[in-house]
Amino acid sequence: MQAISDALASLSPTVRLLLFVALAVQLVVQIYSLIDLAKRPEVAGGRKWVWVLIIVAGNLLGALIYLVLGRREPLVEIATHAGERDARDRALDRLYGKSDRP
């Protein structure tokens, strides 16, 4: 532990600040990714535990890979039967925003 403390002390204040900022960014992105993963009903590949390993073991790169490739938006099924008109309208509103349908 003393060796790490001595190594950090020998660095310039600018380098220490940059290391601190990089560590803070990494932690924030990893925590955000884990919270996002916990809230999603489904993810690419279907197995959340794999994405947890990627985020935790992959550090900043793993979290960024999850944010780009792992997040999957839930699919919206559009109803085709006449009795399911409300479900279809809700799906269309979700996809394209509210409209003035009669």
Side-chain angles (χ1 to χ4, degrees), residues 39-51:
K39 290 182 178 182
R40 288 198 177 269
E42 60 183 63
V43 292
R47 298 199 173 152
K48 289 186 174 187
W49 65 269
V50 173
W51 286 110

Side-chain angles (χ1 to χ4, degrees), residues 4-102:
I4 294 173
S5 178
D6 291 341
L8 286 175
S10 68
L11 296 175
S12 72
T14 304
V15 172
R16 278 186 282 184
L17 177 65
L18 290 174
L19 283 174
F20 176 75
V21 169
L23 179 63
V25 167
Q26 174 184 333
L27 288 175
V28 167
V29 172
Q30 280 185 297
I31 291 169
Y32 174 80
S33 297
L34 290 170
I35 292 171
D36 183 77
L37 177 65
K39 290 182 178 182
R40 288 198 177 269
E42 60 183 63
V43 292
R47 298 199 173 152
K48 289 186 174 187
W49 65 269
V50 173
W51 286 110
V52 170
L53 290 176
I54 291 171
I55 293 168
V56 172
N59 296 324
L60 180 61
L61 183 60
L64 292 175
I65 289 171
Y66 164 74
L67 292 174
V68 172
L69 301 176
R71 300 176 353 158
R72 176 188 292 171
E73 295 297 323
L75 299 175
V76 177
E77 295 183 22
I78 296 178
T80 58
H81 297 88
E84 297 175 347
R85 182 180 197 114
D86 289 336
R88 184 200 65 200
D89 289 344
R90 283 194 308 272
L92 290 173
D93 288 344
R94 187 170 178 194
L95 287 171
Y96 303 111
K98 301 280 184 192
S99 68
D100 298 329
R101 281 194 266 325

